[in-house]
Amino acid sequence: SEVRECLKLDQDHKQCFSLYKQVKKLNKQIESAEELIRGGRYEDAISKYHSVMKTEPEVPIYSTRAKERICHCLSKNQQATEAIKLCTEVLQLEPTNVNALKDRAEAYLLEDMYEEAIKDYETAQANSENDQQIREGLERAQRMLKQSQKRDYYKILGVKRNARKQEIIKAYRKLASQWHPDNFQSEEEKKKAEKKFIDIAAAKEVLTDPEMRRKFDAGEDPLDAESQQGGNNPFHRSWNTWQGFNPFGSGGGPFTFKFHFS
C-alpha cells in the first residue's frame, strides 16, 4: 500500500515501480503457498516457499518466515528428519518461535524422541499459555512417553510411526515367520517365542486397524487392560487365541503353520 502511494505521486518513478512489481510477486507467491498448505499439498507449498526466498533474498525476515512454513510442511508431510533440521535453523534465530517449536515437537514424535518433543511443547507453552493446540500436543507427548516405557507396537515390528499398512504387514510376516513357536525345540525357547509371537500378532492387530492405531498414536494402548475403562479389556489375547491361526493367510503368502501344543 505504501508503494502504491509512491506511484500515485509519481507514476514514472522507476524504483517504486520495480519494487511494486517485486512486492506484488512476493505477495502472490505467499498467498499461493498458503492456499496449497490449506489443501494439504505440502510438496507444492515447499516449492512455492523456496521461490519466495529466491524472489526476496535480501530481507532476512522473509527467509526466516519461509523456512518456518517449509518446516511446517515437512512436519505435516511426515518428513521428520528434514523438519527437525529446518525448524532448528529457525529456532537458532528465534528461540521462542511458537510455530517452529510446535512443528519440531511433532517431528520429534515421529522419530520417537518424546522427551525432546515435551521440552519443545513446554517452551512453546511458556510463550503462548492459552494455545489449546500446544496443551493438547504436550499431553499427547507425555502419554506417548509413558506408553513407550511399556509396549511399543511400532518398535515390536521395527517400523516407523508413519509406516504404511503394507509395510506393517510385510514386517509382521517376516517376524511371525522368525518367531513362530514351532521353529523352536526347548521349552524355554518355545516360551520366549510364544511371548514374542503374541506381541508381534498384537502389534499387527493394532497397527492395521485404523481406529486402534489412532488410539495408540494418541497415547492409548487399546490392548492394555489398564487403559480401558473399568479395567475390562475386550481386546485381550493369549497364546491359546492364536493356535490354529495362519498369520500369512490374508495375503496369499506361501507359509502355513501347524500348531502342536497341548
Side-chain angles (χ1 to χ4, degrees):
S1 62
E2 290 180 11
V3 176
R4 282 199 191 100
E5 290 300 315
C6 169
L7 289 171
K8 283 180 184 178
L9 296 171
D10 183 356
Q11 293 181 358
D12 299 322
H13 196 291
K14 289 183 179 180
Q15 285 180 307
C16 271
F17 187 67
S18 175
L19 184 59
Y20 175 71
K21 287 197 297 183
Q22 185 173 2
V23 170
K24 190 175 179 181
K25 180 181 179 181
L26 193 64
N27 186 60
K28 186 177 179 181
Q29 287 174 330
I30 292 170
E31 286 183 345
S32 175
E34 289 302 307
E35 183 65 30
L36 289 166
I37 289 173
R38 286 191 289 273
R41 296 171 59 187
Y42 300 117
E43 290 288 349
D44 292 335
I46 289 168
S47 177
K48 190 65 69 174
Y49 266 117
H50 278 301
S51 297
V52 168
M53 289 191 283
K54 288 178 182 176
T55 299
E56 183 48 272
E58 302 299 325
V59 183
I61 190 65
Y62 284 107
S63 295
T64 304
R65 290 288 78 78
K67 286 181 179 180
E68 176 194 308
R69 298 306 284 159
I70 292 171
C71 160
H72 174 73
C73 293
L74 290 168
S75 182
K76 285 288 187 182
N77 212 33
Q78 299 190 328
Q79 295 171 260
T81 304
E82 296 92 332
I84 291 167
K85 182 180 178 182
L86 199 60
C87 286
T88 301
E89 283 185 31
V90 174
L91 289 165
Q92 285 171 345
L93 297 169
E94 300 177 349
T96 59
N97 185 312
V98 171
N99 291 328
L101 285 164
K102 288 194 288 187
D103 288 322
R104 189 171 71 171
E106 286 300 308
Y108 277 143
L109 290 178
L110 288 170
E111 293 291 291
D112 298 336
M113 300 170 70
Y114 308 114
E115 292 178 358
E116 290 85 349
I118 289 169
K119 186 177 179 181
D120 272 0
Y121 269 128
E122 287 175 340
T123 304
Q125 191 172 57
N127 291 280
S128 184
E129 294 180 4
N130 298 319
D131 190 320
Q132 185 177 350
Q133 188 182 30
I134 293 173
R135 186 165 59 252
E136 290 174 353
L138 176 58
E139 290 172 356
R140 179 161 45 87
Q142 289 168 337
R143 287 197 304 271
M144 290 172 75
L145 174 62
K146 185 177 180 181
Q147 182 188 76
S148 72
Q149 295 163 348
K150 295 182 179 179
R151 184 162 63 168
D152 188 327
Y153 296 121
Y154 291 103
K155 286 185 178 178
I156 288 170
L157 294 184
V159 297
K160 292 279 189 180
R161 281 191 167 264
N162 59 351
R164 298 179 184 275
K165 186 175 181 178
Q166 281 306 112
E167 294 176 65
I168 291 166
I169 292 172
K170 183 179 179 181
Y172 162 72
R173 288 176 174 171
K174 180 180 177 181
L175 290 169
S177 174
Q178 178 184 344
W179 287 101
H180 195 282
D182 277 358
N183 295 337
F184 300 89
Q185 300 301 317
S186 73
E187 283 303 313
E188 186 178 344
E189 287 178 329
K190 280 186 184 294
K191 285 181 180 179
K192 180 182 176 182
E194 284 176 19
K195 185 180 184 306
K196 280 272 192 181
F197 190 86
I198 290 168
D199 284 347
I200 292 162
K204 183 254 186 185
E205 181 178 11
V206 170
L207 299 183
T208 56
D209 181 288
E211 179 61 20
M212 285 201 279
R213 186 174 181 178
R214 185 193 63 76
K215 286 184 178 182
F216 186 75
D217 287 344
E220 176 188 346
D221 185 349
L223 302 189
D224 182 2
E226 291 181 6
S227 70
Q228 305 301 314
Q229 288 186 348
N232 181 23
N233 181 5
F235 299 108
H236 179 69
R237 298 287 187 269
S238 66
W239 170 241
N240 289 334
T241 307
W242 302 109
Q243 294 199 45
F245 171 65
N246 175 13
F248 302 95
S250 61
F255 302 98
T256 304
F257 289 105
K258 293 181 180 179
F259 294 79
H260 304 289
F261 296 100
S262 58

